[in-house]
Amino acid sequence: MAAYHSGELTVQRRAALTERAAVAEGALHTEIPDVAADFLATQRWLVAGTADARGRVWCSLLTGAPGFLRVHDRGTLDVDALPPPDDPLADVLGRGPATIGALALEPATRRRMRINGTSSPLPNGSGWRLRVAQVFANCPKYIQKRSPSPAPCADGAVVEGDGLTDAQANLVGRADTFFVATTDGSAGADANHRGGAPGFLRVHSPTLLSWPDYVGNAMFTTLGNLWLDSRAGLLVPDWESGGLLRITGAARVLWGAGPGDRTVEFTVHHVVSVSSGGLLSDAPPQYSKFNPPVAPAQ
């Protein structure tokens, strides 16, 4: 099986980064290395992305005590957690089969690991098993250093809509971190991290967002998926309250004058917001030194 699919190869060529992508290809694995298994065993949360029964792509958060992520064998990850009933992927994760993109991120050390594959329910019904197709680590660029912990779930209203409320737009506009789920439209899904200085995720209207695509490892997993399938899901954590903002919609890449000038434009289709069950951080972050300055709004 080729390491890169046609969408990734197309974006790599358009960005004039095929040589760098060829070097990065060596980081792709089809089994979980021991160092990755040790890392996963200490984590308390996992981001996962896939499509719901209606075909809408979402990005979700799962949490648990250290050990809730277990490498069953080098090709399988057991996730001993299910999303809450208010999560749009509650009817998908744990039932399977589904193509899943998963991301384990440790902001305190700026380490992240991505595991993509196909899910099936755990025999005891407490979670799901991910049969691995791709495993790879990413560089620490644009990760803000903080030490979040899972926030407890509390009874509260689930706010749904087809556009952002003023409060939701305020959260998005001051975000320094969000997560994005994409799919290649057939065999694979991916969950990824996006970070930058507050304001890099821009709100143009209740139904239109954008963010710059910063220089990374040149794999272009996210943009390559979007080349083939515009569906995407965003997850925006509120580090102060422990709330979560989940957004599904469609994205496209806007190319500027040069191959390195790229912006992703995201059209909001539906929003699900909860006030608990997310991630809490009790101190301001240490921003990445790689965060570019945010351009003034036009």
Side-chain angles (χ1 to χ4, degrees):
M1 183 179 68
Y4 295 126
H5 61 58
S6 62
E8 293 163 334
L9 292 170
T10 299
V11 176
Q12 290 163 11
R13 287 193 296 268
R14 183 156 185 178
L17 290 171
T18 53
E19 291 185 4
R20 185 184 296 181
V23 174
E25 187 176 352
L28 295 170
H29 303 278
T30 57
E31 293 186 333
I32 302 173
D34 290 341
V35 65
D38 293 342
F39 171 73
L40 292 168
T42 64
Q43 301 310 300
R44 301 179 62 192
W45 52 282
L46 182 78
V47 174
T50 189
D52 66 12
R54 296 172 56 183
R56 303 176 301 180
V57 172
W58 297 91
C59 200
S60 293
L61 178 75
L62 298 110
T63 63
F68 91 104
L69 302 177
R70 301 185 304 275
V71 176
H72 180 67
D73 56 50
R74 292 178 67 90
T76 307
L77 175 68
D78 285 357
V79 181
D80 194 15
L82 293 169
D86 56 44
D87 190 298
L89 296 181
D91 290 336
V92 177
L93 291 174
R95 294 190 179 182
T99 56
I100 305 290
L103 167 71
L105 177 70
E106 190 174 70
T109 60
R110 294 192 167 109
R111 296 177 66 191
R112 55 176 159 163
M113 180 67 57
R114 287 156 73 182
I115 315 100
N116 301 335
T118 304
S119 71
S120 60
L122 284 178
N124 63 5
S126 66
W128 45 284
R129 176 167 289 167
L130 186 63
R131 177 63 63 179
V132 173
Q134 271 189 341
V135 180
F136 55 105
N138 282 138
C139 70
K141 269 187 172 182
Y142 319 122
I143 297 176
Q144 324 315 333
K145 192 172 185 179
R146 51 168 51 96
S147 298
S149 58
C153 290
D155 291 336
V158 178
V159 178
E160 295 194 49
D162 296 328
L164 299 177
T165 66
D166 289 345
Q168 292 165 350
N170 179 269
L171 173 62
V172 170
R174 57 186 170 84
D176 59 51
T177 299
F178 71 96
F179 305 96
V180 54
T182 56
T183 174
D184 64 13
S186 57
D190 181 73
N192 207 348
H193 159 274
R194 287 292 182 264
F200 87 110
L201 178 54
R202 184 156 291 166
V203 180
H204 300 278
S205 77
T207 57
L208 185 64
L209 313 177
S210 71
W211 63 88
D213 186 68
Y214 295 146
V215 175
N217 58 15
M219 289 181 176
F220 291 111
T221 309
T222 299
L223 268 58
N225 281 354
L226 292 176
W227 187 271
L228 300 176
D229 191 325
S230 65
R231 294 176 297 165
L234 308 186
L235 180 69
V236 185
D238 187 335
W239 306 105
E240 297 177 4
S241 72
L244 288 173
L245 177 62
R246 307 180 185 96
I247 313 172
T248 189
R252 61 173 183 154
V253 182
L254 306 179
W255 293 82
D261 183 9
R262 300 175 298 273
T263 299
V264 180
E265 186 179 82
F266 182 88
T267 300
V268 176
H269 290 168
H270 199 71
V271 177
V272 177
S273 178
V274 292
S275 59
S276 65
L279 299 166
L280 282 169
S281 183
D282 59 4
Q286 178 184 330
Y287 292 112
S288 170
K289 64 181 180 181
F290 297 102
N291 289 343
V294 175
Q298 298 181 351

